[in-house]
Amino acid sequence: CRIQIGQAHISSWIRANYGYPAVKVNAFSRCNVPQSKVTLTVEIWKNGTFGKTLVARSVVRSPGVVNPGRDVENLGTWRRCTSGKKTSYFGIAYAKAFIQGKWQFASDTYSLNIKPLACGT
């Protein structure tokens, strides 16, 4: 099993549908064996003057069986921008699932590229 996480970005979908900018991070979990009771958590963090700060977190639960090769997606982790201040964001994703009779945990997976975005929170 693996988790893939995207880069923090300004969401064009949120801007088009809600009318304001927001920083967003997407992730998905995929396994090559059946899994169930999947919980996929995505967090958005920012680098600030006094260290790292959590700005958003969302959890997606898929209680049924997820067949091999099918994704469990978390596309709902975002935070509205309150200013155009350049800020560096990154995402962290982690998951747990019931696989072959045991609980399995996928540890933290980080966004690879951290670039400043015109989005103060």
Side-chain angles (χ1 to χ4, degrees), residues 7-61:
Q7 304 307 316
H9 62 280
I10 303 297
S11 173
S12 57
W13 188 91
I14 292 172
R15 185 185 297 270
N17 288 278
Y18 292 102
Y20 51 77
V23 61
K24 186 172 192 286
V25 173
N26 298 320
F28 69 85
S29 172
R30 180 179 292 169
C31 200
N32 60 359
V33 295
Q35 57 180 334
S36 62
K37 302 177 186 173
V38 180
T39 302
L40 176 60
T41 303
V42 177
E43 299 175 345
I44 300 174
W45 290 77
K46 69 178 177 180
N47 290 326
T49 307
F50 301 107
K52 298 172 180 135
T53 305
L54 177 67
V55 297
R57 175 187 291 135
S58 71
V59 179
V60 168
R61 291 178 176 83

Side-chain angles (χ1 to χ4, degrees), residues 44-94:
I44 300 174
W45 290 77
K46 69 178 177 180
N47 290 326
T49 307
F50 301 107
K52 298 172 180 135
T53 305
L54 177 67
V55 297
R57 175 187 291 135
S58 71
V59 179
V60 168
R61 291 178 176 83
S62 183
V65 174
V66 179
N67 291 321
R70 302 288 302 218
D71 293 344
V72 174
E73 298 177 323
N74 184 327
L75 306 176
T77 310
W78 56 276
R79 174 81 183 262
R80 183 177 181 165
C81 303
T82 57
S83 74
K85 180 182 177 186
K86 290 270 188 183
T87 308
S88 295
Y89 295 94
F90 62 96
I92 300 175
Y94 48 94

Side-chain angles (χ1 to χ4, degrees), residues 100-117:
Q100 297 175 336
K102 298 180 197 170
W103 283 106
Q104 301 291 329
F105 299 89
S107 59
D108 296 354
T109 302
Y110 290 78
S111 299
L112 296 176
N113 267 341
I114 301 174
K115 295 182 179 175
L117 302 173

